[in-house]
């Protein structure tokens, strides 16, 4: 099916491994490309279709088709500005491209680089815990200070652990509809 338009972020690592998987897929047998073979292999009505674009001039379209049985061959039609190629490929190629929008979603809860964070506020109201990072201008070691509820020095290791814990949080996968 067609992926719905969404403003959700995609996972860079998932996309990278997806593309790497496709790059490593090798044809097991090349077929004579023509209308009759395209119909016979089913690539005219593919199970999965993907279009990749690099820059403004390079576009590659890949269509995959397969029979219903796990032992049926998988066929790939690759088309680009240089022509087309029809081939039999391993079944793994089908799994590599058959992804739902939920599988590609970035699950990062907090999009922040730890080095860019200067203040951490945990809780709300007057009782909130507020930590601030002090970075001396002379290149000395940075420290964390407790600003609220009672000002004072903070344990640098624990403050950094909280920060890295928050920036590494990931949501659980779900098949729910994307917002």
């Amino acid at each position: 099916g067609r992926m719905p338009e969404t403003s959700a972020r995609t996972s860079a690592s998932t996309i990278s491994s997806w593309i790497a998987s496709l790059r490593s897929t090798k044809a097991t047998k090349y077929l004579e490309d023509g209308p009759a073979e395209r119909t016979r292999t089913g690539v005219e009505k593919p199970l999965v279709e993907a279009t990749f674009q690099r820059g403004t001039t390079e576009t590659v379209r890949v269509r995959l088709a397969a029979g219903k049985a796990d032992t049926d061959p998988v066929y790939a039609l690759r088309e680009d500005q240089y022509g087309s190629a029809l081939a039999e490929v391993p079944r793994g190629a089908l799994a590599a491209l058959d992804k739902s929008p939920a599988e590609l979603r970035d699950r990062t809860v907090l999009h922040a680089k730890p080095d860019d964070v200067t203040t951490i506020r945990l809780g709300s109201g007057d009782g909130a815990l507020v930590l601030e990072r002090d970075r001396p201008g002379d290149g000395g070691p940075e420290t964390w200070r407790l600003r609220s509820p009672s000002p004072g020095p903070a344990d640098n290791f624990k403050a950094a652990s909280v920060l890295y814990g928050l920036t590494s949080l990931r949501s659980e996968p779900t098949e729910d509809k994307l917002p």
Side-chain angles (χ1 to χ4, degrees):
R2 189 169 180 275
M3 294 173 94
E5 294 296 321
T6 178
S7 62
R9 292 177 184 240
T10 55
S11 169
S13 62
T14 301
I15 298 293
S16 295
S17 67
W18 192 40
I19 291 172
S21 173
L22 287 173
R23 279 191 185 136
S24 66
T25 298
K26 304 292 183 213
T28 54
K29 178 177 166 183
Y30 283 95
L31 307 171
E32 188 67 38
D33 185 16
E37 269 302 88
R38 287 184 182 199
T39 300
R40 182 188 73 77
T41 59
V43 295
E44 289 296 339
K45 295 180 182 176
L47 294 171
V48 179
E49 179 174 339
T51 303
F52 302 91
Q53 188 161 353
R54 186 171 33 191
T56 57
T57 59
E58 253 187 275
T59 301
V60 177
R61 181 178 174 200
V62 177
R63 293 185 266 175
L64 297 176
K68 299 210 183 299
D70 286 345
T71 56
D72 289 344
V74 175
Y75 300 102
L77 175 62
R78 181 186 189 276
E79 300 166 291
D80 61 21
Q81 68 267 25
Y82 304 110
S84 62
L86 181 61
E88 200 171 294
V89 295
R91 281 201 86 77
L94 194 56
L97 278 179
D98 192 16
K99 301 288 182 199
S100 72
E103 290 175 283
L104 300 176
R105 187 174 193 178
D106 182 1
R107 305 209 181 287
T108 304
V109 174
L110 175 64
H111 291 277
K113 293 179 184 173
D115 287 344
D116 294 343
V117 175
T118 57
T119 303
I120 302 171
R121 181 181 180 92
L122 300 171
S124 59
D126 293 338
L129 175 78
V130 179
L131 293 163
E132 281 187 0
R133 181 184 280 176
D134 289 327
R135 290 188 170 128
D138 64 4
E142 68 179 30
T143 58
W144 285 91
R145 296 203 47 84
L146 188 59
R147 295 293 180 210
S148 173
S150 54
D155 182 309
N156 290 325
F157 178 77
K158 287 181 182 175
S161 293
V162 166
L163 173 61
Y164 285 96
L166 290 171
T167 56
S168 63
L169 281 176
R170 303 288 183 265
S171 65
E172 289 294 317
T174 178
E175 287 300 318
D176 293 343
K177 291 182 180 178
L178 297 174

